Amino acid sequence: MSRFDNLDAWLSWQMQLHPKAIALGLERVAAVWERLGPASLPFPLVTVGGTNGKGSCVAMAEAICRAAGYRTGVYSSPHLLHYNERVRVDGEDVSDALLCESFERIERARGETALTYFEFGTLAALDIFVRGAPDVVILEVGLGGRLDAVNLWDADVSVVTSIGLDHMAWLGGSLDEIAYEKAGIFRPGRPAVIGQRDAPARLRAEAQQRGSLPIQIGREIDWTIGDGGGWIWSAPSGERLALPEPAMRGPFQYDNASAAIAALRALHGRLPISVNAIRAGLQRARLPGRFQVFPGALTYILDVAHNGEAAQALAANLRAFACRGRLRAVLAVLGDKSPASIVEPLLPYVSDWYLAQSRDPRAMPVEVLSERLVAVLPAPAAAISSDLDAALDAAESASEPGDAILVVGSFTSVGAALRRLGEGLAGRGVA
C-alpha cells in the first residue's frame, strides 16, 4: 500500500523527513540508489552547474536535442508553479502519478535513511529516466556541485556556466572556494565545459587536476557576432557555425548557448546533431522567469535574478528594453541573499521600489529587507508591503498605461506573479 495517494501529501511529508532543509553530501543518495537503480546509466548524461546561466544552458541543450529528434530527460530546480516542472520527459512535465509511483519506490528502498526534499526529488527524476529510457538526460545542479545530489552520477560531459558569489554559507566566501565546489562535477578523461571567459583560474585548474578535458569560452571555443546578423560559434578544429540569435534575451545568452553547443558537440559520436537542429533549438528555447515579458497596457517583466551577477545581466536587458513609461520594481528575496547587490545594478532603470515578503518559509522578512537596503534606498525611496500581493496591488495602482512592473528577487516571487497573471509555462506572453 502506498504511503500517500497524492503528490501534495508526498511533498509535504518529504519537507519534514530530514531535520535540515539543505544537507549537502552524497552518502544518503548513494545508499538509496544502490538499492534502487542500476550502477551505470543507460543514456548519455550531461550535468550543468554554475552560479547563473545554468537554467538557460539546460533549456537550450534540451531544445537542440529535441530539434534533432532525440527524446530528452531533464531535471531542473527550483520550480515556479508546479513541482512537476522539475522533471521533464520529451519536453513535457511528468505527471503526478509518475512522480508518486517513483516516490513510493524510493520510500521502499531508503530504509532508515533520512533524505532531504531535494534528494528525494533527484532520486525520483533518475528513477523515472531509467525507466523511461530517453536518448539523453540533462541534470541541473541544485546547489554547488561537489556535494550536490546530482553529482552521484558520472556525467559524460559536465558544464559550469559561471562562477559568482551566491550560497556562500554552504559554498565558501570567495570565488576560488566556490569554483572548487562547482568543479566537483568534472570527471577524469571527460569534457569539462566552462561557459565563462573570465572564470576564476581555479575552475580550470581543478578541471585539469581532476584529469578532465577543459573546453572554455575564449580558449578552446569562442563566439563572435556575425557581420550580417546572427553570430558565429567556433572551435579549434576549425568548425564554424553560423547561427541565429538565441530566443532568450541578453548578450550573456551567447555564452550559455556556446556552452550548450560545446557540451553536445562533445557527445557527437553518440548523439549526432546537425547544424540545422542547433539553429532550430536556439530559436525554440524558452525559460519562464528569465526576462519574461507580458506586454499590454501595463507591461509585466518577470526575472528570477537573486544575486548581483544575475542583476547585472537583468540590467543589461533593461537597458535594451523600450519602456514607454515608468518602470516600477517589486522585490522580495530569500533570507540568505544580499538585496543591495540585486538593487544597485537596477537603480538607473527603476523609478519606484516596492519591497515585500513572499510566502516562502525561507523568505527574508520585509522589515529586514528594508533595513538592508537603507544605504541604497533611503526612506522614503521604497514602499513596504506586508506581502507580495499587496506590493503588486500598490505598484499597479500607481501605474498608468505605458508603464511597466518588474518582479524580481527569487523564484517564489516570480512564481507568485505568474499565478497572479494567470499564465502557465507554455510560453504565452513571452516577448
Side-chain angles (χ1 to χ4, degrees):
M1 178 178 292
S2 175
R3 177 180 282 272
F4 301 107
D5 61 1
N6 66 80
L7 181 58
D8 287 342
W10 271 110
L11 297 176
S12 296
W13 174 75
Q14 288 170 25
M15 288 181 181
Q16 311 300 322
L17 180 59
H18 195 280
K20 295 181 180 179
I22 298 174
L24 297 178
L26 303 180
E27 298 83 3
R28 294 177 300 276
V29 285
V32 178
W33 186 253
E34 187 176 358
R35 299 188 288 269
L36 181 71
S40 59
L41 299 178
F43 37 67
L45 179 66
V46 180
T47 300
V48 182
T51 304
N52 296 301
K54 57 182 181 286
S56 297
C57 183
V58 168
M60 291 181 192
E62 177 189 25
I64 291 169
C65 289
R66 295 193 66 229
Y70 294 115
R71 191 164 177 265
T72 55
V74 172
Y75 176 57
S76 61
S77 64
H79 60 275
L80 285 170
L81 293 178
H82 307 290
Y83 184 90
N84 313 58
E85 299 161 27
R86 294 177 178 232
V87 187
R88 295 194 300 277
V89 174
D90 208 17
E92 299 293 330
D93 301 343
V94 298
S95 66
D96 286 13
L98 203 58
L99 284 166
C100 289
E101 289 169 10
S102 182
F103 288 158
E104 183 61 36
R105 285 192 291 272
I106 295 165
E107 171 62 5
R108 288 196 299 266
R110 76 176 181 86
E112 299 300 315
T113 304
L115 298 169
T116 67
Y117 176 85
F118 182 77
E119 289 168 344
F120 225 105
T122 303
L123 286 164
L126 265 294
D127 177 61
I128 289 168
F129 297 151
V130 166
R131 292 170 180 275
D135 298 310
V136 59
V137 166
I138 306 165
L139 304 180
E140 180 183 342
V141 174
L143 195 159
R146 182 174 65 93
L147 299 177
D148 187 88
V150 304
N151 199 36
L152 176 65
W153 297 274
D154 292 330
D156 295 284
V157 182
S158 303
V159 181
V160 173
T161 53
S162 68
I163 300 293
L165 294 173
D166 201 5
H167 300 299
M168 290 181 285
W170 292 278
L171 305 181
S174 71
L175 293 177
D176 266 10
E177 290 175 298
I178 294 171
Y180 169 75
E181 294 295 335
K182 302 285 186 186
I185 65 173
F186 296 153
R187 291 296 190 270
R190 298 184 181 183
V193 179
I194 299 173
Q196 183 179 8
R197 224 172 268 275
D198 60 347
R202 188 170 185 184
L203 184 61
R204 187 180 180 95
E206 289 291 337
Q208 292 170 327
Q209 186 171 336
R210 285 168 163 77
S212 304
L213 309 173
I215 302 173
Q216 184 173 0
I217 292 178
R219 300 186 71 163
E220 288 76 19
I221 57 170
D222 214 334
W223 64 267
T224 57
I225 297 297
D227 293 334
W231 61 296
I232 308 294
W233 182 90
S234 59
S237 63
E239 184 178 24
R240 289 169 58 83
L241 306 180
L243 303 170
E245 293 183 9
M248 289 187 278
R249 297 173 182 238
F252 52 91
Q253 295 295 4
Y254 292 103
D255 286 347
N256 295 329
S258 292
I261 293 166
L264 297 177
R265 273 294 186 253
L267 288 174
H268 190 69
R270 299 174 64 185
L271 206 73
I273 293 176
S274 70
V275 177
N276 284 339
I278 294 174
R279 291 173 179 146
L282 293 177
Q283 292 179 304
R284 294 174 188 172
R286 297 288 190 280
L287 196 60
R290 278 69 164 186
F291 208 79
Q292 186 174 10
V293 179
F294 293 82
L298 178 61
T299 297
Y300 261 89
I301 304 170
L302 310 183
D303 200 293
V304 298
H306 53 270
N307 55 50
E309 288 81 4
Q312 290 169 16
L314 171 56
N317 275 334
L318 290 174
R319 191 179 307 122
F321 182 74
C323 180
R324 291 181 291 136
R326 296 167 71 89
L327 176 64
R328 294 174 172 82
V330 176
L331 174 72
V333 304
L334 299 186
D336 65 336
K337 301 305 174 185
S338 170
S341 70
I342 301 170
V343 168
E344 286 176 332
L346 307 179
L347 287 174
Y349 311 101
V350 176
S351 61
D352 307 277
W353 289 87
Y354 297 80
L355 309 183
Q357 179 177 340
S358 71
R359 295 179 182 175
D360 192 308
R362 300 169 297 159
M364 182 178 291
V366 70
E367 298 81 9
V368 176
L369 177 60
S370 178
E371 290 171 5
R372 294 195 182 178
L373 289 174
V374 167
V376 292
L377 291 177
I384 299 174
S385 300
S386 57
D387 60 58
L388 200 60
D389 280 332
L392 290 166
D393 287 340
E396 288 177 353
S397 296
S399 298
E400 299 177 352
D403 290 350
I405 295 176
L406 168 68
V407 182
V408 65
S410 74
F411 279 81
T412 50
S413 305
V414 168
L418 274 171
R419 289 188 184 90
R420 183 184 178 97
L421 290 168
E423 298 288 347
L425 295 179
R428 289 181 56 202
V430 179

PDB file of all heavy atoms in Angstrom, residues 91-123:
ATOM      1  N   GLY A  91      10.218  17.060 -23.313  1.00  0.00           N
ATOM      2  CA  GLY A  91       9.681  18.417 -23.283  1.00  0.00           C
ATOM      3  C   GLY A  91       8.438  18.611 -22.456  1.00  0.00           C
ATOM      4  O   GLY A  91       7.955  19.736 -22.328  1.00  0.00           O
ATOM      5  N   GLU A  92       7.902  17.542 -21.865  1.00  0.00           N
ATOM      6  CA  GLU A  92       6.658  17.635 -21.092  1.00  0.00           C
ATOM      7  C   GLU A  92       6.925  17.342 -19.618  1.00  0.00           C
ATOM      8  O   GLU A  92       7.679  16.421 -19.283  1.00  0.00           O
ATOM      9  CB  GLU A  92       5.615  16.654 -21.624  1.00  0.00           C
ATOM     10  CG  GLU A  92       5.203  16.889 -23.066  1.00  0.00           C
ATOM     11  CD  GLU A  92       4.440  18.191 -23.250  1.00  0.00           C
ATOM     12  OE1 GLU A  92       3.755  18.606 -22.279  1.00  0.00           O
ATOM     13  OE2 GLU A  92       4.515  18.786 -24.341  1.00  0.00           O
ATOM     14  N   ASP A  93       6.289  18.118 -18.745  1.00  0.00           N
ATOM     15  CA  ASP A  93       6.377  17.833 -17.314  1.00  0.00           C
ATOM     16  C   ASP A  93       5.766  16.462 -17.037  1.00  0.00           C
ATOM     17  O   ASP A  93       4.717  16.124 -17.601  1.00  0.00           O
ATOM     18  CB  ASP A  93       5.611  18.889 -16.504  1.00  0.00           C
ATOM     19  CG  ASP A  93       6.126  20.298 -16.728  1.00  0.00           C
ATOM     20  OD1 ASP A  93       7.264  20.451 -17.237  1.00  0.00           O
ATOM     21  OD2 ASP A  93       5.395  21.248 -16.388  1.00  0.00           O
ATOM     22  N   VAL A  94       6.400  15.696 -16.153  1.00  0.00           N
ATOM     23  CA  VAL A  94       5.857  14.373 -15.849  1.00  0.00           C
ATOM     24  C   VAL A  94       4.599  14.515 -14.998  1.00  0.00           C
ATOM     25  O   VAL A  94       4.362  15.542 -14.351  1.00  0.00           O
ATOM     26  CB  VAL A  94       6.895  13.481 -15.135  1.00  0.00           C
ATOM     27  CG1 VAL A  94       8.101  13.249 -16.020  1.00  0.00           C
ATOM     28  CG2 VAL A  94       7.293  14.065 -13.795  1.00  0.00           C
ATOM     29  N   SER A  95       3.800  13.484 -14.976  1.00  0.00           N
ATOM     30  CA  SER A  95       2.507  13.511 -14.282  1.00  0.00           C
ATOM     31  C   SER A  95       2.674  13.312 -12.783  1.00  0.00           C
ATOM     32  O   SER A  95       3.688  12.793 -12.304  1.00  0.00           O
ATOM     33  CB  SER A  95       1.600  12.418 -14.836  1.00  0.00           C
ATOM     34  OG  SER A  95       2.137  11.137 -14.508  1.00  0.00           O
ATOM     35  N   ASP A  96       1.649  13.704 -12.034  1.00  0.00           N
ATOM     36  CA  ASP A  96       1.606  13.416 -10.599  1.00  0.00           C
ATOM     37  C   ASP A  96       1.750  11.914 -10.351  1.00  0.00           C
ATOM     38  O   ASP A  96       2.469  11.481  -9.441  1.00  0.00           O
ATOM     39  CB  ASP A  96       0.279  13.884 -10.000  1.00  0.00           C
ATOM     40  CG  ASP A  96       0.182  15.396  -9.862  1.00  0.00           C
ATOM     41  OD1 ASP A  96       1.032  16.107 -10.441  1.00  0.00           O
ATOM     42  OD2 ASP A  96      -0.746  15.861  -9.173  1.00  0.00           O
ATOM     43  N   ALA A  97       1.048  11.130 -11.155  1.00  0.00           N
ATOM     44  CA  ALA A  97       1.043   9.680 -10.939  1.00  0.00           C
ATOM     45  C   ALA A  97       2.440   9.095 -11.085  1.00  0.00           C
ATOM     46  O   ALA A  97       2.863   8.257 -10.280  1.00  0.00           O
ATOM     47  CB  ALA A  97       0.076   9.008 -11.925  1.00  0.00           C
ATOM     48  N   LEU A  98       3.181   9.548 -12.099  1.00  0.00           N
ATOM     49  CA  LEU A  98       4.523   9.026 -12.324  1.00  0.00           C
ATOM     50  C   LEU A  98       5.449   9.397 -11.166  1.00  0.00           C
ATOM     51  O   LEU A  98       6.258   8.586 -10.706  1.00  0.00           O
ATOM     52  CB  LEU A  98       5.068   9.565 -13.646  1.00  0.00           C
ATOM     53  CG  LEU A  98       6.180   8.757 -14.329  1.00  0.00           C
ATOM     54  CD1 LEU A  98       5.717   7.337 -14.608  1.00  0.00           C
ATOM     55  CD2 LEU A  98       6.607   9.447 -15.621  1.00  0.00           C
ATOM     56  N   LEU A  99       5.338  10.620 -10.675  1.00  0.00           N
ATOM     57  CA  LEU A  99       6.147  11.037  -9.529  1.00  0.00           C
ATOM     58  C   LEU A  99       5.795  10.229  -8.282  1.00  0.00           C
ATOM     59  O   LEU A  99       6.687   9.775  -7.551  1.00  0.00           O
ATOM     60  CB  LEU A  99       5.945  12.531  -9.268  1.00  0.00           C
ATOM     61  CG  LEU A  99       6.664  13.489 -10.223  1.00  0.00           C
ATOM     62  CD1 LEU A  99       6.113  14.901 -10.085  1.00  0.00           C
ATOM     63  CD2 LEU A  99       8.174  13.491  -9.967  1.00  0.00           C
ATOM     64  N   CYS A 100       4.510  10.061  -8.033  1.00  0.00           N
ATOM     65  CA  CYS A 100       4.094   9.316  -6.835  1.00  0.00           C
ATOM     66  C   CYS A 100       4.568   7.866  -6.883  1.00  0.00           C
ATOM     67  O   CYS A 100       4.987   7.295  -5.861  1.00  0.00           O
ATOM     68  CB  CYS A 100       2.575   9.370  -6.679  1.00  0.00           C
ATOM     69  SG  CYS A 100       1.945  11.000  -6.208  1.00  0.00           S
ATOM     70  N   GLU A 101       4.511   7.245  -8.066  1.00  0.00           N
ATOM     71  CA  GLU A 101       4.999   5.870  -8.200  1.00  0.00           C
ATOM     72  C   GLU A 101       6.486   5.792  -7.887  1.00  0.00           C
ATOM     73  O   GLU A 101       6.951   4.865  -7.214  1.00  0.00           O
ATOM     74  CB  GLU A 101       4.739   5.369  -9.626  1.00  0.00           C
ATOM     75  CG  GLU A 101       3.276   5.113  -9.940  1.00  0.00           C
ATOM     76  CD  GLU A 101       3.050   4.890 -11.429  1.00  0.00           C
ATOM     77  OE1 GLU A 101       4.060   4.751 -12.164  1.00  0.00           O
ATOM     78  OE2 GLU A 101       1.886   4.858 -11.853  1.00  0.00           O
ATOM     79  N   SER A 102       7.239   6.781  -8.360  1.00  0.00           N
ATOM     80  CA  SER A 102       8.682   6.794  -8.100  1.00  0.00           C
ATOM     81  C   SER A 102       8.961   7.065  -6.626  1.00  0.00           C
ATOM     82  O   SER A 102       9.837   6.426  -6.020  1.00  0.00           O
ATOM     83  CB  SER A 102       9.353   7.856  -8.972  1.00  0.00           C
ATOM     84  OG  SER A 102      10.745   7.845  -8.774  1.00  0.00           O
ATOM     85  N   PHE A 103       8.225   8.001  -6.035  1.00  0.00           N
ATOM     86  CA  PHE A 103       8.399   8.275  -4.600  1.00  0.00           C
ATOM     87  C   PHE A 103       8.151   7.014  -3.773  1.00  0.00           C
ATOM     88  O   PHE A 103       8.849   6.760  -2.781  1.00  0.00           O
ATOM     89  CB  PHE A 103       7.449   9.380  -4.151  1.00  0.00           C
ATOM     90  CG  PHE A 103       7.808  10.755  -4.651  1.00  0.00           C
ATOM     91  CD1 PHE A 103       6.839  11.754  -4.732  1.00  0.00           C
ATOM     92  CD2 PHE A 103       9.101  11.065  -5.040  1.00  0.00           C
ATOM     93  CE1 PHE A 103       7.159  13.022  -5.176  1.00  0.00           C
ATOM     94  CE2 PHE A 103       9.435  12.338  -5.487  1.00  0.00           C
ATOM     95  CZ  PHE A 103       8.455  13.322  -5.555  1.00  0.00           C
ATOM     96  N   GLU A 104       7.175   6.229  -4.168  1.00  0.00           N
ATOM     97  CA  GLU A 104       6.876   5.000  -3.427  1.00  0.00           C
ATOM     98  C   GLU A 104       8.032   4.009  -3.544  1.00  0.00           C
ATOM     99  O   GLU A 104       8.401   3.350  -2.562  1.00  0.00           O
ATOM    100  CB  GLU A 104       5.574   4.382  -3.955  1.00  0.00           C
ATOM    101  CG  GLU A 104       5.131   3.142  -3.205  1.00  0.00           C
ATOM    102  CD  GLU A 104       4.854   3.411  -1.732  1.00  0.00           C
ATOM    103  OE1 GLU A 104       4.346   4.511  -1.414  1.00  0.00           O
ATOM    104  OE2 GLU A 104       5.152   2.530  -0.895  1.00  0.00           O
ATOM    105  N   ARG A 105       8.622   3.906  -4.735  1.00  0.00           N
ATOM    106  CA  ARG A 105       9.770   3.006  -4.896  1.00  0.00           C
ATOM    107  C   ARG A 105      10.949   3.467  -4.037  1.00  0.00           C
ATOM    108  O   ARG A 105      11.646   2.659  -3.418  1.00  0.00           O
ATOM    109  CB  ARG A 105      10.180   2.930  -6.366  1.00  0.00           C
ATOM    110  CG  ARG A 105       9.240   2.102  -7.237  1.00  0.00           C
ATOM    111  CD  ARG A 105       9.818   1.820  -8.601  1.00  0.00           C
ATOM    112  NE  ARG A 105       9.901   3.011  -9.438  1.00  0.00           N
ATOM    113  CZ  ARG A 105       8.925   3.442 -10.230  1.00  0.00           C
ATOM    114  NH1 ARG A 105       7.782   2.778 -10.273  1.00  0.00           N
ATOM    115  NH2 ARG A 105       9.080   4.521 -10.964  1.00  0.00           N
ATOM    116  N   ILE A 106      11.154   4.788  -3.985  1.00  0.00           N
ATOM    117  CA  ILE A 106      12.246   5.331  -3.163  1.00  0.00           C
ATOM    118  C   ILE A 106      11.973   5.073  -1.689  1.00  0.00           C
ATOM    119  O   ILE A 106      12.871   4.706  -0.927  1.00  0.00           O
ATOM    120  CB  ILE A 106      12.428   6.828  -3.443  1.00  0.00           C
ATOM    121  CG1 ILE A 106      12.877   7.045  -4.885  1.00  0.00           C
ATOM    122  CG2 ILE A 106      13.441   7.456  -2.474  1.00  0.00           C
ATOM    123  CD1 ILE A 106      12.733   8.470  -5.365  1.00  0.00           C
ATOM    124  N   GLU A 107      10.756   5.246  -1.272  1.00  0.00           N
ATOM    125  CA  GLU A 107      10.394   5.028   0.129  1.00  0.00           C
ATOM    126  C   GLU A 107      10.657   3.573   0.541  1.00  0.00           C
ATOM    127  O   GLU A 107      11.162   3.307   1.631  1.00  0.00           O
ATOM    128  CB  GLU A 107       8.928   5.405   0.346  1.00  0.00           C
ATOM    129  CG  GLU A 107       8.350   5.028   1.704  1.00  0.00           C
ATOM    130  CD  GLU A 107       9.054   5.727   2.868  1.00  0.00           C
ATOM    131  OE1 GLU A 107       9.942   6.585   2.641  1.00  0.00           O
ATOM    132  OE2 GLU A 107       8.732   5.388   4.017  1.00  0.00           O
ATOM    133  N   ARG A 108      10.361   2.645  -0.351  1.00  0.00           N
ATOM    134  CA  ARG A 108      10.615   1.237  -0.032  1.00  0.00           C
ATOM    135  C   ARG A 108      12.116   0.950   0.020  1.00  0.00           C
ATOM    136  O   ARG A 108      12.568   0.089   0.782  1.00  0.00           O
ATOM    137  CB  ARG A 108       9.946   0.331  -1.078  1.00  0.00           C
ATOM    138  CG  ARG A 108       8.424   0.289  -0.978  1.00  0.00           C
ATOM    139  CD  ARG A 108       7.846  -0.902  -1.741  1.00  0.00           C
ATOM    140  NE  ARG A 108       8.170  -0.852  -3.168  1.00  0.00           N
ATOM    141  CZ  ARG A 108       7.377  -0.332  -4.095  1.00  0.00           C
ATOM    142  NH1 ARG A 108       6.207   0.197  -3.748  1.00  0.00           N
ATOM    143  NH2 ARG A 108       7.725  -0.338  -5.365  1.00  0.00           N
ATOM    144  N   ALA A 109      12.900   1.693  -0.789  1.00  0.00           N
ATOM    145  CA  ALA A 109      14.339   1.424  -0.878  1.00  0.00           C
ATOM    146  C   ALA A 109      15.161   2.140   0.185  1.00  0.00           C
ATOM    147  O   ALA A 109      16.252   1.701   0.513  1.00  0.00           O
ATOM    148  CB  ALA A 109      14.852   1.826  -2.268  1.00  0.00           C
ATOM    149  N   ARG A 110      14.644   3.218   0.759  1.00  0.00           N
ATOM    150  CA  ARG A 110      15.501   4.051   1.601  1.00  0.00           C
ATOM    151  C   ARG A 110      15.730   3.478   2.997  1.00  0.00           C
ATOM    152  O   ARG A 110      16.709   3.833   3.664  1.00  0.00           O
ATOM    153  CB  ARG A 110      14.946   5.474   1.702  1.00  0.00           C
ATOM    154  CG  ARG A 110      13.755   5.627   2.602  1.00  0.00           C
ATOM    155  CD  ARG A 110      13.310   7.068   2.736  1.00  0.00           C
ATOM    156  NE  ARG A 110      12.176   7.165   3.640  1.00  0.00           N
ATOM    157  CZ  ARG A 110      12.268   7.280   4.960  1.00  0.00           C
ATOM    158  NH1 ARG A 110      13.450   7.344   5.538  1.00  0.00           N
ATOM    159  NH2 ARG A 110      11.195   7.344   5.707  1.00  0.00           N
ATOM    160  N   GLY A 111      14.870   2.602   3.463  1.00  0.00           N
ATOM    161  CA  GLY A 111      15.045   2.049   4.798  1.00  0.00           C
ATOM    162  C   GLY A 111      15.006   3.141   5.857  1.00  0.00           C
ATOM    163  O   GLY A 111      14.032   3.896   5.942  1.00  0.00           O
ATOM    164  N   GLU A 112      16.069   3.260   6.647  1.00  0.00           N
ATOM    165  CA  GLU A 112      16.134   4.266   7.710  1.00  0.00           C
ATOM    166  C   GLU A 112      16.852   5.540   7.269  1.00  0.00           C
ATOM    167  O   GLU A 112      17.082   6.433   8.081  1.00  0.00           O
ATOM    168  CB  GLU A 112      16.851   3.675   8.934  1.00  0.00           C
ATOM    169  CG  GLU A 112      16.149   2.464   9.538  1.00  0.00           C
ATOM    170  CD  GLU A 112      14.738   2.811   9.995  1.00  0.00           C
ATOM    171  OE1 GLU A 112      14.561   3.877  10.638  1.00  0.00           O
ATOM    172  OE2 GLU A 112      13.812   2.027   9.707  1.00  0.00           O
ATOM    173  N   THR A 113      17.217   5.635   6.001  1.00  0.00           N
ATOM    174  CA  THR A 113      17.947   6.810   5.510  1.00  0.00           C
ATOM    175  C   THR A 113      17.015   8.010   5.419  1.00  0.00           C
ATOM    176  O   THR A 113      15.982   7.949   4.738  1.00  0.00           O
ATOM    177  CB  THR A 113      18.560   6.534   4.123  1.00  0.00           C
ATOM    178  OG1 THR A 113      19.399   5.380   4.200  1.00  0.00           O
ATOM    179  CG2 THR A 113      19.378   7.726   3.651  1.00  0.00           C
ATOM    180  N   ALA A 114      17.356   9.093   6.092  1.00  0.00           N
ATOM    181  CA  ALA A 114      16.538  10.315   6.080  1.00  0.00           C
ATOM    182  C   ALA A 114      16.994  11.209   4.928  1.00  0.00           C
ATOM    183  O   ALA A 114      18.053  11.836   4.990  1.00  0.00           O
ATOM    184  CB  ALA A 114      16.670  11.059   7.405  1.00  0.00           C
ATOM    185  N   LEU A 115      16.212  11.255   3.870  1.00  0.00           N
ATOM    186  CA  LEU A 115      16.549  12.061   2.697  1.00  0.00           C
ATOM    187  C   LEU A 115      15.996  13.470   2.821  1.00  0.00           C
ATOM    188  O   LEU A 115      14.934  13.685   3.433  1.00  0.00           O
ATOM    189  CB  LEU A 115      15.972  11.415   1.437  1.00  0.00           C
ATOM    190  CG  LEU A 115      16.480  10.019   1.073  1.00  0.00           C
ATOM    191  CD1 LEU A 115      15.618   9.425  -0.039  1.00  0.00           C
ATOM    192  CD2 LEU A 115      17.941  10.079   0.641  1.00  0.00           C
ATOM    193  N   THR A 116      16.687  14.435   2.225  1.00  0.00           N
ATOM    194  CA  THR A 116      16.131  15.781   2.129  1.00  0.00           C
ATOM    195  C   THR A 116      15.108  15.820   0.998  1.00  0.00           C
ATOM    196  O   THR A 116      15.055  14.922   0.145  1.00  0.00           O
ATOM    197  CB  THR A 116      17.223  16.825   1.857  1.00  0.00           C
ATOM    198  OG1 THR A 116      17.759  16.616   0.543  1.00  0.00           O
ATOM    199  CG2 THR A 116      18.331  16.771   2.897  1.00  0.00           C
ATOM    200  N   TYR A 117      14.334  16.880   0.984  1.00  0.00           N
ATOM    201  CA  TYR A 117      13.340  17.125  -0.075  1.00  0.00           C
ATOM    202  C   TYR A 117      14.009  17.068  -1.443  1.00  0.00           C
ATOM    203  O   TYR A 117      13.514  16.422  -2.388  1.00  0.00           O
ATOM    204  CB  TYR A 117      12.728  18.490   0.199  1.00  0.00           C
ATOM    205  CG  TYR A 117      11.739  19.045  -0.788  1.00  0.00           C
ATOM    206  CD1 TYR A 117      10.389  18.707  -0.717  1.00  0.00           C
ATOM    207  CD2 TYR A 117      12.135  19.976  -1.744  1.00  0.00           C
ATOM    208  CE1 TYR A 117       9.464  19.267  -1.592  1.00  0.00           C
ATOM    209  CE2 TYR A 117      11.226  20.539  -2.621  1.00  0.00           C
ATOM    210  CZ  TYR A 117       9.892  20.185  -2.543  1.00  0.00           C
ATOM    211  OH  TYR A 117       8.993  20.740  -3.401  1.00  0.00           O
ATOM    212  N   PHE A 118      15.165  17.728  -1.594  1.00  0.00           N
ATOM    213  CA  PHE A 118      15.862  17.765  -2.876  1.00  0.00           C
ATOM    214  C   PHE A 118      16.406  16.382  -3.241  1.00  0.00           C
ATOM    215  O   PHE A 118      16.334  15.965  -4.405  1.00  0.00           O
ATOM    216  CB  PHE A 118      17.003  18.789  -2.831  1.00  0.00           C
ATOM    217  CG  PHE A 118      17.744  18.911  -4.138  1.00  0.00           C
ATOM    218  CD1 PHE A 118      17.200  19.626  -5.196  1.00  0.00           C
ATOM    219  CD2 PHE A 118      18.982  18.315  -4.307  1.00  0.00           C
ATOM    220  CE1 PHE A 118      17.873  19.724  -6.407  1.00  0.00           C
ATOM    221  CE2 PHE A 118      19.664  18.416  -5.508  1.00  0.00           C
ATOM    222  CZ  PHE A 118      19.108  19.128  -6.559  1.00  0.00           C
ATOM    223  N   GLU A 119      16.934  15.667  -2.267  1.00  0.00           N
ATOM    224  CA  GLU A 119      17.460  14.331  -2.550  1.00  0.00           C
ATOM    225  C   GLU A 119      16.362  13.379  -3.000  1.00  0.00           C
ATOM    226  O   GLU A 119      16.551  12.581  -3.933  1.00  0.00           O
ATOM    227  CB  GLU A 119      18.154  13.786  -1.305  1.00  0.00           C
ATOM    228  CG  GLU A 119      19.470  14.478  -0.985  1.00  0.00           C
ATOM    229  CD  GLU A 119      20.015  14.133   0.390  1.00  0.00           C
ATOM    230  OE1 GLU A 119      19.243  13.611   1.231  1.00  0.00           O
ATOM    231  OE2 GLU A 119      21.210  14.392   0.627  1.00  0.00           O
ATOM    232  N   PHE A 120      15.216  13.453  -2.360  1.00  0.00           N
ATOM    233  CA  PHE A 120      14.088  12.616  -2.750  1.00  0.00           C
ATOM    234  C   PHE A 120      13.711  12.900  -4.203  1.00  0.00           C
ATOM    235  O   PHE A 120      13.511  11.975  -5.010  1.00  0.00           O
ATOM    236  CB  PHE A 120      12.890  12.887  -1.828  1.00  0.00           C
ATOM    237  CG  PHE A 120      12.192  11.647  -1.354  1.00  0.00           C
ATOM    238  CD1 PHE A 120      12.350  11.187  -0.059  1.00  0.00           C
ATOM    239  CD2 PHE A 120      11.356  10.939  -2.196  1.00  0.00           C
ATOM    240  CE1 PHE A 120      11.700  10.048   0.392  1.00  0.00           C
ATOM    241  CE2 PHE A 120      10.700   9.798  -1.757  1.00  0.00           C
ATOM    242  CZ  PHE A 120      10.876   9.357  -0.460  1.00  0.00           C
ATOM    243  N   GLY A 121      13.630  14.180  -4.560  1.00  0.00           N
ATOM    244  CA  GLY A 121      13.262  14.564  -5.924  1.00  0.00           C
ATOM    245  C   GLY A 121      14.303  14.163  -6.945  1.00  0.00           C
ATOM    246  O   GLY A 121      13.967  13.763  -8.076  1.00  0.00           O
ATOM    247  N   THR A 122      15.579  14.274  -6.577  1.00  0.00           N
ATOM    248  CA  THR A 122      16.654  13.905  -7.503  1.00  0.00           C
ATOM    249  C   THR A 122      16.628  12.414  -7.788  1.00  0.00           C
ATOM    250  O   THR A 122      16.747  11.978  -8.949  1.00  0.00           O
ATOM    251  CB  THR A 122      18.016  14.310  -6.912  1.00  0.00           C
ATOM    252  OG1 THR A 122      18.011  15.715  -6.639  1.00  0.00           O
ATOM    253  CG2 THR A 122      19.145  13.988  -7.880  1.00  0.00           C
ATOM    254  N   LEU A 123      16.471  11.602  -6.749  1.00  0.00           N
ATOM    255  CA  LEU A 123      16.363  10.160  -6.948  1.00  0.00           C
ATOM    256  C   LEU A 123      15.150   9.803  -7.801  1.00  0.00           C
ATOM    257  O   LEU A 123      15.216   8.922  -8.669  1.00  0.00           O
ATOM    258  CB  LEU A 123      16.282   9.454  -5.592  1.00  0.00           C
ATOM    259  CG  LEU A 123      17.585   9.389  -4.798  1.00  0.00           C
ATOM    260  CD1 LEU A 123      17.300   9.028  -3.341  1.00  0.00           C
ATOM    261  CD2 LEU A 123      18.560   8.396  -5.425  1.00  0.00           C
TER     262      LEU A 123
END
